[in-house]
Amino acid sequence: MGSLQQRFQTFLDQPSLLTDLLGWLEARTGVKRYYLATGTITFLGLYLMFGYGASLLCNLIGFVYPAYVSIKAIESTDKDDDTMWLTYWVVYGVFNVAEFFSDTFLYWFPFYYAGKCLFLVWCMAPVSWNGSQVLYQKVIRPFFLKHHRIVDSVISDLSGTALDAASTVTREASKAAVNLGLESDKTK
């Protein structure tokens, strides 16, 4: 299995957008990519704990990389990466809705944004036990399977009501336009 440091070094040696950037920086500065990566991680960690705009940084980390690899997944022929990133976005969406209601209280906790960022990194981690898979399989999927018929029924009723309302508005607008046209003809 190897130590955490060895696994991190192995990750840094694999080709990817991030490691290519680190390789370019290593060639330009002469500083090894391991030190560049650990320095960047340390800086980001401290910034998330004490810096201004930690919310923005955390949201960028949780959105930019997953959006990029989601686009790559869409363009690839492999279905597994599509499923992996679609699962991430479902969990991300549920998390954002839950956070909307709890953020007012949670952001007062020390290191909240560091914890949130770690949670999002865990959700996008390229391992089988990442947060997206665990939360989807253990929480979201069972909830969905239990309640999806009720939700489908409500959505169907709402879409029917919205369609009826749109038809009524269109019909009334047409009548009003015809009446306005007749009114303007009488004034001529």
Side-chain angles (χ1 to χ4, degrees), residues 17-136:
L17 178 68
L18 178 65
T19 56
D20 292 345
L21 176 64
L22 287 171
W24 179 80
L25 286 171
E26 181 179 22
R28 302 274 299 179
T29 64
V31 178
K32 292 185 178 187
R33 70 177 66 193
Y34 177 82
Y35 296 121
L36 290 168
T38 55
T40 302
I41 290 168
T42 302
F43 172 76
L44 288 174
L46 289 171
Y47 190 82
L48 284 169
M49 289 186 240
F50 305 112
Y52 179 75
S55 173
L56 175 63
L57 178 62
C58 188
N59 287 330
L60 285 174
I61 290 170
F63 180 79
V64 173
Y65 176 74
Y68 172 75
V69 292
S70 294
I71 292 169
K72 285 181 69 171
I74 291 168
E75 297 301 321
S76 77
T77 57
D78 185 16
K79 182 188 176 312
D80 291 338
D81 58 356
D82 296 357
T83 303
M84 182 180 101
W85 288 107
L86 188 57
T87 304
Y88 172 83
W89 289 114
V90 167
V91 171
Y92 184 82
V94 169
F95 175 74
N96 275 337
V97 169
E99 186 186 35
F100 174 79
F101 294 106
S102 62
D103 192 43
T104 305
F105 305 108
L106 291 178
Y107 84 95
W108 287 98
F109 285 99
F111 313 125
Y112 167 67
Y113 290 112
K116 176 183 172 183
C117 192
L118 286 173
F119 169 76
L120 291 173
V121 169
W122 175 54
C123 284
M124 68 178 90
V127 292
S128 61
W129 46 269
N130 74 21
S132 297
Q133 297 300 321
V134 170
L135 289 172
Y136 180 78

